[in-house]
Amino acid sequence: MLLGQSVGVPDETAELLAARVFTDPWNGLAAPGSAYAGFVRCLQLLAEWRWTEDMCVVDFAAAGNADSEDSARVASARRVWTTTDGLSADAYATLQAAFDAAIQRKDVRGALRIVTAEDPNAEWWGTVSPVLTRRLQSLARASLQTITDCISLGSDSTLSQVFTAPLTDYDFVIKLDKDVVCRQYEQPPASAFTSDGVQSAESAPRKEVFKNLLPSMQHASQVNVKQHANVFGQSDLVGFDPVALFVRDLVGVYRDSILFFNDVHGGRCIAGLWSPTARKTHPFTASMGANMMLLEHEKVGTKPAATLNKRAVVEEIIRLGEGLVENVVIQNE
């Protein structure tokens, strides 16, 4: 999946989400009995939870160990937050009051926000932005529909789509040189998604052909010449992940203009979405912190109008990723 810490989904937040479905099942269901059931429940939680209106709390004290004497002693010692049956009424009311206060401060606004007894304000790992939360919900709904279709048809030929995010909805896609993606071995083989271990011809992924739209990338010599597997000309570098470093730099430079999505487990592309502010027109000033261009005969108030120079930004990304970027596809401007 095109997710990672670069887009604001910390690993700890994903772990809390998974913990929620095991410690506090909803809809009258028991805790998942298998990893697969837990995965589906996580998708359901993402897709159905009302993040704007309802507090999502992980109660580790209610993890089905009320009959444990050790757990009882720990709960008794903590008193303020938990009992052997989980959060006390007072503790839950405290968490709800903190959530209501966050709503009043407009800190929620649809953001994926998970709290615990020890972290009532979701400050330890932060929250996921409203824009990304909505996108996660859309992906979760689509994945659940794919799983439902597979069960209805009695075939797992399309199950791999659950783990493959479509690229058509992104504004642009950065294709990476496969020789610099050092975590390719973490990608599961296509046969892993079929019951017999063999991928059918119908489910085989089609080869995508991207037309180059940028003048600076039109010369084959700039794309195909590969002298070394890494920029230092060494065959082995422990802990060196050029893709992760590239994404880190992209996020640092374009945090206010672009949302970046990448598969940290050996993905060969980085997808980008222009942020809502990047699509707007702004009054031109000398201190604008982005590559802007003036719009002829347009004004915002009394000042000339300016907007983000998207094509120039893409050119900047190509220069920043020299040696890593194989091609860039602009899908929406």
Side-chain angles (χ1 to χ4, degrees):
M1 294 294 287
L2 295 181
L3 296 176
Q5 291 188 335
S6 64
V7 298
V9 184
D11 292 341
E12 295 81 2
T13 299
E15 291 171 0
L16 285 174
L17 192 75
R20 162 75 192 200
V21 303
F22 283 93
T23 59
D24 189 13
W26 74 106
N27 292 339
L29 300 174
S34 66
Y36 181 81
F39 172 69
V40 175
R41 296 278 188 86
C42 286
L43 291 178
Q44 289 179 324
L45 180 61
L46 271 175
E48 299 175 7
W49 195 266
R50 300 183 302 177
W51 300 102
T52 304
E53 306 168 20
D54 299 332
M55 176 181 65
C56 185
V57 57
V58 177
D59 183 6
F60 292 106
N65 53 8
D67 55 344
S68 169
E69 293 183 3
D70 292 337
S71 299
R73 284 195 294 269
V74 170
S76 177
R78 294 173 65 182
R79 283 192 309 275
V80 174
W81 288 110
T82 62
T83 67
T84 54
D85 295 325
L87 286 172
S88 66
D90 291 341
Y92 191 89
T94 301
L95 292 178
Q96 187 64 54
F99 181 76
D100 294 339
I103 292 178
Q104 293 296 323
R105 296 192 305 267
K106 298 183 179 179
D107 289 344
V108 180
R109 294 182 296 180
L112 192 156
R113 177 188 180 94
I114 304 176
V115 302
T116 64
E118 294 79 6
D119 183 24
N121 294 309
E123 295 174 331
W124 289 6
W125 317 118
T127 60
V128 180
S129 70
V131 174
L132 180 55
T133 299
R134 290 193 293 271
R135 194 159 192 85
L136 286 173
Q137 287 187 301
S138 297
L139 288 172
R141 294 188 188 104
S143 297
L144 286 172
Q145 186 60 52
T146 299
I147 293 173
T148 301
D149 293 342
C150 287
I151 295 174
S152 300
L153 297 174
S155 170
D156 55 10
S157 61
T158 60
L159 190 60
S160 61
Q161 295 177 7
V162 174
F163 303 93
T164 306
L167 301 178
T168 54
D169 294 333
Y170 296 97
D171 294 324
F172 62 89
V173 178
I174 305 169
K175 301 290 286 185
L176 302 173
D177 185 341
K178 63 181 179 63
D179 288 347
V180 302
V181 181
C182 57
R183 300 177 65 176
Q184 294 182 71
Y185 65 92
E186 297 181 15
Q187 289 282 296
S191 59
F193 301 107
T194 58
S195 56
D196 58 359
V198 179
Q199 187 182 32
S200 64
E202 293 80 5
S203 61
R206 296 180 180 179
K207 183 177 181 181
E208 293 177 301
V209 179
F210 294 90
K211 182 179 180 182
N212 197 336
L213 301 179
L214 298 174
S216 63
M217 297 292 290
Q218 287 181 351
H219 301 290
S221 60
Q222 292 180 283
V223 177
N224 297 323
V225 174
K226 305 169 187 174
Q227 297 180 350
H228 304 291
N230 59 65
V231 294
F232 300 107
Q234 301 171 351
S235 58
D236 300 304
L237 287 173
V238 177
F240 180 61
D241 188 348
V243 176
L245 296 175
F246 179 45
V247 173
R248 183 198 65 184
D249 290 344
L250 290 177
V251 173
V253 174
Y254 302 107
R255 182 183 302 274
D256 297 330
S257 304
I258 308 172
L259 289 173
F260 291 101
F261 299 79
N262 76 299
D263 183 352
V264 298
H265 300 290
R268 284 195 55 197
C269 66
I270 303 170
L273 281 176
W274 302 111
S275 68
T277 56
R279 302 176 186 274
K280 296 180 180 178
T281 300
H282 305 273
F284 179 78
T285 62
S287 60
M288 303 185 84
N291 194 328
M292 309 294 287
M293 65 178 180
L294 290 172
L295 299 176
E296 295 184 9
H297 311 300
E298 292 190 31
K299 288 190 175 183
V300 177
T302 59
K303 294 185 177 181
T307 188
L308 187 69
N309 191 343
K310 297 177 181 177
R311 190 162 290 262
V313 168
V314 173
E315 291 281 2
E316 291 174 356
I317 291 174
I318 291 174
R319 288 194 294 271
L320 185 63
E322 183 177 357
L324 302 176
V325 176
E326 185 176 83
N327 201 356
V328 175
V329 182
I330 299 175
Q331 302 185 144
N332 298 298
E333 296 205 46

